[in-house]
Amino acid sequence: MGGSVIEPSVTPDAGAMQVTDGFHLVIDALRLNGIDTIFGLPGIPITDLTRKAQACGMRVISFRHEQSAGYAASIAGFMTQKPGICLTVSAPGFLNGLTALANATTNCFPMILISGSSEREVVDLQQGDYEEMDQLAIARPLAKAAFRVLHAEDIGVGVARAIRAAVSGRPGGVYLDLPARLFPQSIDAEAGRRSLIKVVDPAPRQIPAPEAVRRALDLLRSARKPLIILGKGAAYAQADAEIRNLVERTGIPYLPMSMAKGLLPDTHEQSASAARSYVLPEADVVMLVGARLNWLLSHGKGKTWGGKSAKDWGGQKFVQVDISPQEADSNVRIDAPLVGDIGSCVSALLAGIGSAWPKPPAEWLGAIAERKTKNVAKMAETLAKNPSPMNFHSALNVVRDIVKANPDAYLVNEGANALDFTRSIVDMYRPRKRLDVGTWGVMGVGMGFAVAAAAVGKQQVIAIEGDSAFGFSGMEVETICRYDLPVCVVILNNNGVYRGDETNVGGGRDPAPLVFVKDARYEKLMEAFGGVGVHVSTPDALRSAMQEAVRSRRPTLINAVIDETAGTESGRITNLNPSAKKK
Ligand code: ADP
Ligand code: TZD
């Protein structure tokens, strides 16, 4: 963690002695550890903390809802390997931030939720304080770790522990409870300075055991149809060159999980994405690098993997590279677990592979190439169509071109169909540029992610949003305008959740539960705050609007009206609907 040693910010006391207080110690502890940005929402008891942090030179980004601030913090953590900080008020503000904290833990993103809290004595006796809540107890089961600091001289330790917990091992969300009374506590400035800790080596490398490396290589060597799956842990690890070397020196085809797209360019000849449904059941040895065999990979079994029925093993053997020793065998047997940080594990594998590793059998590569060519041609045909009204494909064909022309732009993505189609149609070219709904498939991350990507990543952001998805965090367009961020939001507007053509089966006057106001003018929301709003209904108009947004870098919202009958219920995961199970 970078950051030079800094002088504590002090407040001159009435006498000669220099004192500091809880407010300044929190700020100094964060800055000492290279943390320069806070995402949050002010109010009692942390209002002054936001002011003073800004006065001390930190970037303070104030949101309209804590959940968005939390999502921003978590994705900043993913992008930078430094814990993203979300700052909230007590009880309701804390709870609003907590969803994002739980989501961070689920996704292995390092984040610290710092919440002010009410009077301990009153809270513990349940005497009815302002925003009374036992926040520490509530956060604990949802966080990787949770701490409370009661005394100013312990702030340094509290912040250090929070940082280590967030970024070491498997990263996750950490809760730090700071009671109101802590902030005004004064202590001698020199004692305060000495109490702070600059965390040394916050995410230590974890070197894999040599025998585990040998076991993994032996299994890979025995494969006739090997496959590598890259997950967002591999993207997070920032071992981009090593991972590329591993893929290219072994010649093994690979599949990127959603947020690992771009780790190698999606146009790489070894990418098997366009032949996914062929390679998963066919592969005999699969090496997972920073990817879990959770629902997103059908738990490593069942029909997706060539198993006879839903729970049957497909016969694959697995190598799993992961920092968590508990991850292996979570769903199916892992024959070669390789525990360590991805950078060290991949380097160790490369050392063992040397320069004379035999390429996988030509029949395997040929069969994949054949499927790829066929599927890519089929997709090109679909993308070239220009139906009226516009649909997901014709709109995303434009987005695909814009992203190709701007490979450094971040692509934020949420929705159901809007997510699935974007993932499969829009190629990514650089690591950690695709930011999406992750492990939970959570709606509401969109605008928080966009703000963080623009503010921390300092690049153009393109957010592709379902109209339902956008609604979860739509008010943050004011935040985007206020900080004048280069964010271009594209709403793929089909008038509802999944699609917009349902009617009330009960026959009453209420609309069906899945549909919204027809022909809603979302672009006016952006105009209300001084940004650019555009209403488009053709691919050409969408292209011009996106090009102008990227050129001007102005906050822009494009309301892209698409066919309201386009889209399937739940997108690609219709099979998870209980009613589908009943059938
Ligand atoms: P995806 O959704 O892309 O498949 P997951 O979130 O399921 O990815 O898996 C990410 C995995 O990466 C987690 O099991 C986590 O423990 C692991 N991981 C995260 N960071 C590192 C790292 N630096 N080194 C090794 N493994 C890591
Ligand atoms: N609430 C939360 C927090 N996360 C969720 N994933 C859902 C509800 C359920 N849900 C989905 O899984 S996708 C989705 C919801 C409400 C919205 C789909 O509609 P959309 O996208 O307009 O965003 P499409 O393109 O019309 O499918």
Side-chain angles (χ1 to χ4, degrees):
M1 212 157 291
S4 52
V5 175
I6 50 161
E7 290 304 310
S9 31
V10 292
T11 41
D13 198 30
M17 192 180 84
Q18 298 244 288
V19 297
T20 186
D21 60 19
F23 287 115
H24 288 101
L25 286 167
V26 172
I27 295 162
D28 294 341
L30 294 173
R31 289 169 74 213
L32 182 63
N33 285 289
I35 293 169
D36 55 11
T37 307
I38 291 176
F39 304 94
L41 202 161
I44 294 172
I46 51 96
T47 312
D48 265 351
L49 189 62
T50 62
R51 274 196 202 106
K52 290 177 202 282
Q54 196 172 47
C56 291
M58 289 186 87
R59 184 121 202 238
V60 180
I61 302 197
S62 261
F63 284 76
R64 304 300 295 262
H65 192 289
E66 291 89 350
Q67 196 177 98
S68 294
Y71 288 139
S74 70
I75 208 67
F78 170 75
M79 290 161 55
T80 63
Q81 296 184 328
K82 276 194 238 171
I85 306 295
C86 174
L87 181 63
T88 80
V89 302
S90 8
F94 155 78
L95 286 173
N96 284 345
L98 197 56
T99 306
L101 189 76
N103 187 63
T105 305
T106 301
N107 281 279
C108 318
F109 298 157
M111 161 182 175
I112 303 173
L113 174 66
I114 301 179
S115 296
S117 59
S118 302
E119 211 62 66
R120 282 250 48 82
E121 294 85 335
V122 185
V123 171
D124 288 348
L125 281 172
Q126 297 179 24
Q127 294 175 301
D129 204 358
Y130 169 69
E131 298 195 344
E132 174 182 296
M133 176 173 276
D134 187 358
Q135 296 168 195
L136 187 67
I138 289 164
R140 189 156 272 142
L142 299 173
K144 186 179 168 194
F147 306 101
R148 175 186 290 135
V149 181
L150 290 174
H151 304 289
E153 58 267 35
D154 294 331
I155 287 172
V157 169
V159 170
R161 300 216 68 188
I163 291 172
R164 277 199 191 280
V167 298
S168 63
R170 173 183 275 179
V174 175
Y175 176 60
L176 188 60
D177 191 85
L178 303 182
R181 263 205 204 158
L182 176 73
F183 296 112
Q185 282 176 29
S186 290
I187 61 170
D188 170 56
E190 176 55 22
R193 196 185 65 77
R194 278 199 311 266
S195 73
L196 299 184
I197 294 174
K198 182 168 162 56
V199 178
V200 175
D201 198 9
R205 292 174 62 198
Q206 296 191 23
I207 314 291
E211 64 274 18
V213 176
R214 269 197 302 276
R215 197 186 296 123
L217 286 172
D218 286 347
L219 184 53
L220 267 190
R221 211 177 278 115
S222 73
R224 299 205 40 78
K225 296 176 171 182
L227 177 69
I228 292 174
I229 296 181
L230 303 173
K232 61 176 157 343
Y236 173 80
Q238 299 194 15
D240 308 338
E242 291 90 335
I243 290 171
R244 188 177 184 132
N245 272 340
L246 177 72
V247 170
E248 292 182 346
R249 273 169 47 192
T250 58
I252 299 176
Y254 74 95
L255 282 178
M257 298 300 287
S258 194
M259 282 177 63
K261 275 167 69 77
L263 190 42
L264 282 80
D266 280 335
T267 47
H268 196 283
E269 65 161 345
Q270 284 172 254
S271 167
S273 288
R276 188 179 196 271
S277 61
Y278 173 71
V279 292
L280 289 180
E282 284 293 318
D284 61 354
V285 175
V286 179
M287 179 155 76
L288 302 156
V289 184
R292 288 171 283 187
L293 282 176
N294 56 17
W295 68 281
L296 287 159
L297 282 170
S298 307
H299 306 284
K301 59 193 168 194
K303 294 201 169 141
T304 307
W305 292 87
K308 279 192 208 68
S309 67
K311 290 215 158 185
D312 281 342
W313 178 48
Q316 290 81 4
K317 300 212 157 172
F318 288 97
V319 177
Q320 184 160 30
V321 181
D322 205 291
I323 202 151
S324 165
Q326 294 177 46
E327 187 53 40
D329 303 332
S330 57
N331 285 275
V332 294
R333 180 172 62 239
I334 302 297
D335 286 284
L338 189 55
V339 175
D341 70 279
I342 283 169
S344 301
C345 290
V346 173
S347 297
L349 289 169
L350 282 170
I353 281 165
S355 54
W357 186 267
K359 293 272 176 279
E363 311 89 81
W364 176 231
L365 301 182
I368 297 171
E370 194 182 305
R371 262 84 182 175
K372 260 179 80 171
T373 311
K374 213 169 74 199
N375 292 341
V376 167
K378 211 156 62 187
M379 177 63 94
E381 208 176 287
T382 313
L383 292 178
K385 287 186 188 144
N386 191 1
S388 180
M390 184 159 69
N391 63 9
F392 285 105
H393 288 90
S394 54
L396 288 168
N397 186 40
V398 173
V399 176
R400 172 186 164 97
D401 291 344
I402 302 284
V403 170
K404 185 175 184 185
N406 300 278
D408 284 322
Y410 287 93
L411 184 78
V412 170
N413 190 200
E414 59 177 339
N417 297 278
L419 177 91
D420 294 333
F421 285 124
T422 305
R423 188 179 55 238
S424 62
I425 293 170
V426 178
D427 288 331
M428 302 303 297
Y429 301 87
R430 307 266 154 87
R432 295 171 294 284
K433 293 293 184 183
R434 193 188 145 83
L435 311 173
D436 70 26
V437 300
T439 304
W440 263 351
V442 64
M443 298 298 112
V445 293
M447 297 304 103
F449 279 13
V451 168
V456 176
K458 304 215 173 356
Q459 296 289 340
Q460 176 70 42
V461 177
I462 296 168
I464 306 299
E465 301 272 313
D467 50 331
S468 165
F470 172 75
F472 286 75
S473 66
M475 193 62 204
E476 304 299 346
V477 298
E478 189 276 332
T479 310
I480 292 169
C481 289
R482 186 165 18 107
Y483 290 91
D484 193 22
L485 298 172
V487 174
C488 171
V489 180
V490 178
I491 298 181
L492 298 176
N493 185 2
N494 60 359
N495 292 339
V497 177
Y498 312 133
R499 53 197 285 154
D501 58 345
E502 279 200 23
T503 49
N504 179 342
V505 287
R509 289 193 62 231
D510 284 349
L514 288 98
V515 303
F516 299 145
V517 165
K518 293 218 186 287
D519 307 319
R521 300 302 294 263
Y522 291 102
E523 75 280 7
K524 292 190 189 294
L525 192 56
M526 188 59 105
E527 287 172 359
F529 304 107
V532 178
V534 195
H535 182 263
V536 304
S537 53
T538 63
D540 284 347
L542 175 59
R543 191 180 301 271
S544 307
M546 288 190 79
Q547 281 168 342
E548 178 53 21
V550 170
R551 192 202 59 74
S552 71
R553 292 175 73 83
R554 288 190 62 194
T556 302
L557 191 155
I558 304 171
N559 182 3
V561 179
I562 60 169
D563 185 354
E564 70 170 5
T565 68
T568 46
E569 181 161 341
S570 311
R572 299 259 165 93
I573 51 173
T574 306
N575 61 311
L576 298 181
N577 268 338
S579 49
K581 290 227 166 23
K582 204 172 138 202
K583 276 181 219 150

